[in-house]
Amino acid sequence: MKDLELKTIGAYCAILTTLSFVGGIAFMATSGVQVLIPETGGHKTIDWIDDVNGASGAFFAGAWLVILGGFFAFVAIVGFYFALRDAGPVMLLAPVLGGVGMGLVQISHLIPIAMGYELAPGYEKATGAAQDSLATTAGTFAAVAHVLNYSGDALLWGVVVPVVAWAILVTRAVPRWIGWLGFVTAFFAGWLGLFSPASSIIDGLTFIGFVGFFVFNAALGIALLRRRRPPGEELTPAAAT
């Protein structure tokens, strides 16, 4: 364990973050549930409940893979700090704000999992006023999950990702195109994403940043692993690309 550096562990976890999220989304999609956090407004939350009740166990398998990916992301952010801390003290913001942001996102994902286990089957069995009450409760939980997810993503994509991207460009520890990809992710998912509740068009554009985030994570993880050095030897700047 002495020779296993945190930046190496973080690099592996960055790759596993992407694999876990991609696998989790695939499992949920094949189960018939398109999103983990139910949409709000009208009958959208109830439609999600119906989808969950009709889904196979693949939905919960996919949901827990997403949670696993979130835990990997915690470690990946810490690893990025140790790999890029030569950029300056500002890099300390990455693990601090990244931990807060990922914590909010994890809670936002755990809420609908709990809804799927208890509230969804309870709604299916209930009738009349009891069912209406459960529908209101489900809508409230969904709204809370969205608020937590929005706040966490704003920190992750709007602050942490551009800080890491800036550190890549400054230190050149990995190819610079990864840093520019980080800024693309920050623009679409983070900064533009702040206005997604106001426009469905903007919300659609944030998908570019969503995909970019996982490509950014995997690319940075792979690049750090490719530039591994013997214990005690630091990363040397990579050539600009």
Side-chain angles (χ1 to χ4, degrees):
M1 294 295 291
K2 180 180 179 181
D3 294 339
L4 194 58
E5 297 179 316
L6 273 173
K7 58 189 174 187
T8 301
I9 297 173
Y12 280 115
C13 286
I15 298 170
L16 290 172
T17 296
T18 296
L19 293 177
S20 295
F21 270 88
V22 170
I25 292 170
F27 270 107
M28 287 188 291
T30 57
S31 74
V33 183
Q34 300 303 314
V35 292
L36 178 53
I37 302 177
E39 296 183 28
T40 56
H43 291 279
K44 293 179 180 179
T45 305
I46 303 305
D47 291 341
W48 181 88
I49 289 176
D50 292 337
D51 289 341
V52 169
N53 284 328
S56 63
F59 166 71
F60 289 106
W64 283 112
L65 272 175
V66 169
I67 295 299
L68 180 62
F71 289 133
F72 282 135
F74 275 110
V75 183
I77 295 170
V78 175
F80 293 163
Y81 165 74
F82 279 96
L84 302 169
R85 56 184 172 176
D86 286 345
V90 72
M91 267 303 295
L92 186 60
L93 291 175
V96 174
L97 296 182
V100 174
M102 275 309 308
L104 293 172
V105 170
Q106 287 288 79
I107 295 171
S108 77
H109 289 161
L110 287 168
I111 289 174
I113 292 177
M115 290 172 63
Y117 279 125
E118 294 293 335
L119 198 153
Y123 175 86
E124 186 178 38
K125 296 175 183 177
T127 58
Q131 192 175 64
D132 292 340
S133 177
L134 285 174
T136 301
T137 301
T140 301
F141 279 138
V144 171
H146 274 288
V147 169
L148 292 172
N149 190 263
Y150 177 84
S151 302
D153 285 344
L155 274 177
L156 284 172
W157 293 337
V159 180
V160 177
V161 169
V163 166
V164 174
W166 168 81
I168 291 172
L169 297 179
V170 169
T171 63
R172 300 190 179 188
V174 296
R176 298 187 73 196
W177 69 264
I178 300 176
W180 292 119
L181 175 61
F183 279 113
V184 171
T185 296
F187 174 78
F188 282 100
W191 306 330
L192 194 62
L194 293 174
F195 304 97
S196 59
S199 169
S200 59
I201 296 176
I202 293 178
D203 187 52
L205 289 173
T206 60
F207 183 73
I208 298 173
F210 177 78
V211 174
F213 173 73
F214 295 109
V215 176
F216 172 75
N217 265 281
L220 181 50
I222 292 171
L224 289 174
L225 289 177
R226 291 183 65 184
R227 297 192 61 78
R228 288 176 64 185
R229 293 292 182 270
E233 184 176 338
E234 294 298 321
L235 289 173
T236 56
T241 59

